[in-house]
Amino acid sequence: MATTIKTSSKNYFNKIQKYLNNKRVFFTPSLNLGVYALTIFDLNQDQTTSLISKMTKHFHLTMQQEPWALAA
């Protein structure tokens, strides 16, 4: 399962990147058209839900889920 966290703030991008490094979570950073993204890999759904919940509380953020892509 892969989860992507997107932000337009370089400051939040750096803070989230440091947070994920401290938690020893495998991720890939990217920048596309001024949007910073961190894609998290190798976590199951429960681990991902727990991590995102803790991170949103830590950074005082809100969570916005994008709709799932339709299967071909």
Side-chain angles (χ1 to χ4, degrees), residues 10-21:
K10 185 175 182 177
N11 187 33
Y12 267 123
F13 174 78
N14 290 332
K15 287 180 180 183
I16 293 170
Q17 193 171 9
K18 184 176 178 182
Y19 181 85
L20 293 175
N21 278 328

Side-chain angles (χ1 to χ4, degrees), residues 3 7-8 10 13 16-17 19 21 26 29 35-36 43 45-46 48 52 55 63 70-72:
T3 302
T7 182
S8 58
K10 185 175 182 177
F13 174 78
I16 293 170
Q17 193 171 9
Y19 181 85
N21 278 328
F26 180 70
V35 176
Y36 298 93
L43 295 179
Q45 187 171 357
D46 292 335
T48 301
I52 297 299
M55 191 168 49
M63 186 169 42
L70 298 175

Side-chain angles (χ1 to χ4, degrees), residues 31-61:
L31 173 62
N32 189 14
L33 300 173
V35 176
Y36 298 93
L38 297 155
T39 304
I40 301 168
F41 297 101
D42 297 333
L43 295 179
N44 64 35
Q45 187 171 357
D46 292 335
Q47 291 169 324
T48 301
T49 302
S50 176
L51 176 69
I52 297 299
S53 176
K54 290 176 185 176
M55 191 168 49
T56 53
K57 288 179 185 176
H58 179 81
F59 291 113
H60 307 287
L61 302 173

